[in-house]
Amino acid sequence: MKSFTYERARTPEAAAASAGRAPHARFIAGGTNLVDLMKIEVETPAHLIDVNGLGLDRIEPAADGGLRIGALVRNTDLASDERVRRDYAVLSRAILAGASGQIRNRATTAGNLLQRTRCPYYYDTNQPCNKRAPGSGCSAIGGVTRQLAVIGGSDTCIATHPSDMAVAMRLLDAKVETLRADSTTRVIPIADFYRLPGNSPHIDTNLEPGELITGVTLPKPIGGRHFYRKVRDRASFAFALVSVGAIVQPDGGGRVALGGVAHQPWRIEAAEAEMAAGAARVTDRLLADARPTAENAFKLTLAQRILSSILAQARA
């Protein structure tokens, strides 16, 4: 691990201002992903800003009838909150499908949304990787692709986003609240938060350098039956080959978002118009632009079968 400096921020404004002064700074809270990456020198921040003392750890009612989740709310606390379990069950189920109990006790809401890909080539510093070292090439393309993206990739990167929580947040139309270094704030719809790789796969989100996430807001509950199904190579502590989050309404309509298939949680609202027609119609439209490899083409069939199972259960 390379050496770095460290400070404990006392206020959100101080944290954001410090990050603005230090271009190679990173915020750290639970550290469940960042510290691992620092140990193998995939991440080499010059300065760490500890944000654990900022008081952003509450779940509160929002003015519009929704819910506001502080950036530092731990995953365990969020998944077990009575309001989340009752009104946003897909979020609770997605969180519980991820990692382990010990990690959920430390991991934060903002950190979960910002975690980096688990592409094996990203973690292997002996292999070229445009996400780790821009312009070096993508070892995954032409390599082992079983776990990698089938849609939304580019000629520079086919990594997938690993967060289960992010899939549920995308399904629920969450909004990310942030604070810039100059103390101005903004709200980013989760649909606009993540970036596809394009020619700059090292940039995962539309956050500005040094911009601090302060919270996430969920809109007023929409009802319906909530599902989150995750298929992986082993039953625990494994990332999704394909995951499906769905909200199914009594009239047969609803929402669908996928994990494990793209550089970001994958949702195409136009595909949801086909919910009443069945899983095949939905996934055909949802994955219409897919470019799978021979090793991961099974993800297309798997997504359809998972959604078909969800719809059958919802309508039983």
Side-chain angles (χ1 to χ4, degrees):
M1 181 183 291
K2 292 189 176 181
S3 61
F4 56 90
T5 54
Y6 171 87
E7 70 172 295
R8 291 179 179 171
R10 301 303 179 188
T11 66
E13 292 76 13
S18 179
R21 292 190 297 269
H24 298 293
R26 291 292 303 273
F27 300 117
I28 187 168
T32 57
N33 186 209
L34 178 59
V35 172
D36 285 343
L37 293 173
M38 290 174 65
K39 287 178 180 178
I40 58 176
E41 297 187 5
V42 169
E43 292 270 7
T44 56
H47 185 61
L48 289 185
I49 304 167
D50 190 330
V51 296
N52 283 294
L54 302 187
L56 304 173
D57 57 355
R58 293 184 291 275
I59 304 172
E60 304 167 311
D64 63 355
L67 210 58
R68 185 183 186 279
I69 303 160
L72 297 174
V73 171
R74 306 293 163 169
N75 287 184
T76 294
D77 295 332
L78 182 56
S80 62
D81 186 90
E82 181 180 355
R83 295 159 293 184
V84 175
R85 293 174 63 192
R86 180 187 65 232
D87 298 327
Y88 307 98
V90 67
L91 177 57
S92 179
R93 291 167 182 164
I95 294 169
L96 293 174
S100 66
Q102 294 92 332
I103 288 180
R104 292 194 295 269
N105 288 343
R106 288 294 301 162
T108 63
T109 299
N112 188 297
L113 297 179
L114 293 174
Q115 63 183 297
R116 306 305 302 274
T117 184
R118 264 46 177 207
C119 174
Y121 297 103
Y122 174 70
Y123 275 72
D124 186 350
T125 56
N126 293 310
Q127 299 283 345
C129 171
N130 288 319
K131 183 175 283 294
R132 176 174 20 86
S136 63
C138 177
S139 299
I141 296 175
V144 178
T145 59
R146 183 172 182 272
Q147 295 183 335
L148 301 179
V150 295
I151 195 166
S154 70
D155 292 337
T156 64
C157 182
I158 55 171
T160 56
H161 195 273
S163 172
D164 293 291
M165 178 192 290
V167 177
M169 292 290 195
R170 179 68 180 90
L171 192 69
L172 293 167
D173 290 327
K175 295 181 180 179
V176 181
E177 299 177 350
T178 70
L179 178 68
R180 296 184 175 105
D182 63 1
S183 295
T184 59
T185 62
R186 65 171 174 154
V187 177
I188 309 171
I190 195 74
D192 301 325
F193 184 72
Y194 293 106
R195 295 164 52 103
L196 292 177
N199 292 319
S200 53
H202 59 293
I203 306 174
D204 289 339
T205 73
N206 284 311
L207 290 174
E208 298 172 1
E211 192 169 8
L212 174 69
I213 295 176
T214 56
V216 177
T217 57
L218 301 177
K220 184 178 179 180
I222 63 170
R225 297 191 65 185
H226 291 219
F227 299 86
Y228 191 79
R229 300 270 176 85
K230 179 179 180 179
V231 176
R232 45 192 162 173
D233 282 328
R234 57 182 186 273
S236 66
F237 207 73
F239 296 93
L241 292 170
V242 176
S243 63
V244 178
I247 299 175
V248 184
Q249 300 294 350
D251 64 1
R255 301 179 180 184
V256 179
L258 305 181
V261 299
H263 202 256
Q264 61 185 27
W266 195 255
R267 181 183 174 200
I268 304 294
E269 283 84 340
E272 295 163 0
E274 305 287 349
M275 285 282 280
R281 292 278 291 274
V282 176
T283 53
D284 283 351
R285 193 160 183 182
L286 190 61
L287 298 170
D289 296 325
R291 296 192 302 168
T293 68
E295 290 183 356
N296 63 20
F298 72 92
K299 290 190 176 192
L300 307 183
T301 303
L302 186 56
Q304 180 182 319
R305 290 179 177 175
I306 297 171
L307 180 57
S308 180
S309 173
I310 288 172
L311 294 179
Q313 182 178 345
R315 295 164 181 167

